[in-house]
Amino acid sequence: MFDSHLFYKRRLSAHIKELGRYLRYILNGHMVIVLFFLISTLAVYYRQALDDLPSNFPTALVIGVLFGLVASYSPVRTLLKEPDLVFIITAEDKMSAYFRNTLIYSFVIQLYLILLIAAALGPLFFASYPERTGSIYLLTLLVLLIIKIGNLFANWWMLKVRDKNIRLLDAFVRIILNITIFYFVIRGDVMFAGITTFIFVIIFLYDYYYSKKQIGINWELLIEKDQHRLQAFYRFVNMFADVPHLKVRVKKRQWLVRLVTNSVPFHNKNSYDYLYRITFVRSGEYIGMYFRLLVIGGLFIFFVPNMWLKVILSILFLYLSTFQMMTLYHHHRVNIWLDLYPVEMSERKRAIMKILYQLSIVQTILFALVIVLTQEYLGFVIALIGGLLFSFVFISGYVKNKLE
């Protein structure tokens, strides 16, 4: 007889074991030191910003938006896999215990996000409302937990709905309501907070009623959602170590491919130059990561007031980006057709180092230009020269040795 509770325990055990294996790569990696440095820097300037907080700062709006988004983000981790569509679907009427456990697990693993956002916004709340006690903030967090649970159940019920437009509309309405509820709660407007909460309850009950009209479980959507989140986790881990389960996403981006390959001469020795350029452009994991680090690093550099810290951050993000782009060299390691290239291995190493130099130079120049926007002209010169020197030393030394 099929026991869905036992099946869930086995699936959860395998899932936690896999997560633990990948988390060891993250916690032992260089990124932890970098993140610790960035968080420490943010904490220092956050404390200084609170000391100079203007009286008209929209604290209620900021906290309301962040609390509302945290409450709205309540995905259900079902831990389902693609073979379940064939082998488990026949036991659909016996899966109630399994899905009940997934709801509990989904809520528990999302508590860390609530704790982080509550710890981060607590100082802002008390700096803006010094007359309010800690018990009021704790009561607000209790409301956040309740609304979070409500959104989790609403998301689960809407997963039974096959019409994507209805699901999107429902999610949008609940996000607006969640933000509005916490905006009024933070402001202390009890009446308006009660009215918006009542509207949320109506939407909540409607979702339950509407889901009851749906026939069966939408297995395809559940598996698609869970696999999408799992692949997002794999892409994150791939920043620290190779992930064999990662599915590579390829996009055409024809105009961008033409832009980066037009200057590559049509010769055998340039085969890998062409290959690495189109791989960088067409594979979302590289170009996406590169531009994310570029934007995040640019924002840090722009808003940090200290010139030397701007220079350090520019080199720090340059290191992160170059380190991540190194994986381009191993991207086609399982492609046996590359062994047929009439090209020496030394050309392959030369090509990867060349594209890393080009990407790091572009990033160095852009970071230096961001420093110019803050009118730190000495910092511009130091960041430009320091970034170019770092790129040369890091790629010619560390990267070259790793390719041996």
Side-chain angles (χ1 to χ4, degrees), residues 226-297:
D226 213 73
Q227 290 301 307
H228 177 75
R229 283 186 286 270
L230 191 59
Q231 287 298 312
F233 173 74
Y234 286 152
R235 285 193 293 273
F236 174 71
V237 177
N238 196 52
M239 298 173 64
F240 307 88
D242 290 335
V243 180
H245 304 294
L246 182 62
K247 295 180 179 178
V248 180
R249 297 176 302 165
V250 178
K251 296 185 179 180
K252 290 184 178 182
R253 298 190 175 115
Q254 295 176 349
W255 66 272
L256 195 54
V257 170
R258 287 195 298 268
L259 180 65
V260 300
T261 57
N262 281 339
S263 60
V264 179
F266 191 72
H267 298 296
N268 283 353
K269 67 177 184 179
N270 300 116
S271 300
Y272 282 105
D273 291 296
Y274 183 85
L275 177 66
Y276 287 137
R277 289 191 181 201
I278 63 173
T279 301
F280 171 77
V281 168
R282 296 185 63 191
S283 178
E285 60 187 278
Y286 295 112
I287 193 171
M289 187 188 305
Y290 180 79
F291 280 105
R292 280 195 298 271
L293 289 173
L294 189 64
V295 172
I296 295 172

Side-chain angles (χ1 to χ4, degrees), residues 84-247:
D84 295 339
L85 194 59
V86 177
F87 297 104
I88 305 299
I89 193 172
T90 55
E92 179 176 323
D93 58 335
K94 302 176 182 178
M95 290 289 288
S96 58
Y98 180 93
F99 289 125
R100 182 190 64 237
N101 291 333
T102 61
L103 287 170
I104 297 173
Y105 172 71
S106 299
F107 177 73
V108 171
I109 63 173
Q110 292 170 35
L111 286 177
Y112 82 93
L113 189 59
I114 294 178
L115 295 176
L116 286 176
I117 201 72
L121 296 179
L124 175 61
F125 177 83
F126 291 113
S128 301
Y129 306 104
E131 72 281 359
R132 299 189 187 181
T133 63
S135 58
I136 295 178
Y137 191 64
L138 291 176
L139 182 61
T140 304
L141 296 183
L142 178 61
V143 174
L144 176 58
L145 289 174
I146 296 173
I147 299 295
K148 178 79 171 178
I149 294 173
N151 280 276
L152 184 68
F153 276 101
N155 285 337
W156 169 244
W157 293 330
M158 292 308 294
L159 286 173
K160 298 180 181 180
V161 179
R162 288 167 170 78
D163 191 331
K164 183 179 180 180
N165 293 327
I166 294 178
R167 296 199 305 268
L168 290 175
L169 178 61
D170 176 79
F172 176 76
V173 171
R174 282 191 286 109
I175 289 174
I176 299 301
L177 284 174
N178 291 332
I179 293 174
T180 306
I181 289 171
F182 288 107
Y183 172 74
F184 287 129
V185 168
I186 298 300
R187 281 175 55 91
D189 294 334
V190 179
M191 184 181 70
F192 288 109
I195 293 173
T196 49
T197 303
F198 178 73
I199 298 174
F200 175 81
V201 171
I202 294 176
I203 299 296
F204 176 81
L205 295 175
Y206 176 79
D207 288 346
Y208 174 75
Y209 168 77
Y210 192 79
S211 68
K212 287 296 182 181
K213 297 168 60 177
Q214 309 303 310
I215 300 175
I217 297 174
N218 193 353
W219 289 90
E220 293 85 355
L221 180 62
L222 294 181
I223 294 173
E224 176 189 341
K225 293 283 188 182
D226 213 73
Q227 290 301 307
H228 177 75
R229 283 186 286 270
L230 191 59
Q231 287 298 312
F233 173 74
Y234 286 152
R235 285 193 293 273
F236 174 71
V237 177
N238 196 52
M239 298 173 64
F240 307 88
D242 290 335
V243 180
H245 304 294
L246 182 62
K247 295 180 179 178

Side-chain angles (χ1 to χ4, degrees), residues 11 47 50 63 68 94 97 112 120 156 186 211 247 271-272 326 334-335 339 344-345 370 387 397-398:
R11 182 62 60 85
R47 181 70 266 176
L50 291 179
I63 298 181
K94 302 176 182 178
Y112 82 93
W156 169 244
I186 298 300
S211 68
K247 295 180 179 178
S271 300
Y272 282 105
M326 282 174 55
V334 296
N335 190 345
D339 296 332
E344 296 292 335
M345 182 59 67
V370 172
Y398 180 82

Side-chain angles (χ1 to χ4, degrees), residues 33-46 48 296-318 367-368 370-371 374 376 378-380 382-384:
I33 300 175
V34 175
L35 290 175
F36 177 77
F37 176 81
L38 293 177
I39 292 172
S40 301
T41 303
L42 281 175
V44 171
Y45 287 104
Y46 181 42
Q48 293 179 1
I296 295 172
L299 291 174
F300 269 101
I301 293 168
F302 184 81
F303 288 107
V304 167
N306 185 274
M307 183 197 76
W308 290 106
L309 196 53
K310 291 177 186 289
V311 174
I312 293 173
L313 286 171
S314 66
I315 296 177
L316 188 63
F317 276 94
L318 181 62
F367 283 159
V370 172
I371 296 178
T374 63
E376 296 282 359
L378 178 60
F380 163 76
I382 297 174
L384 186 61

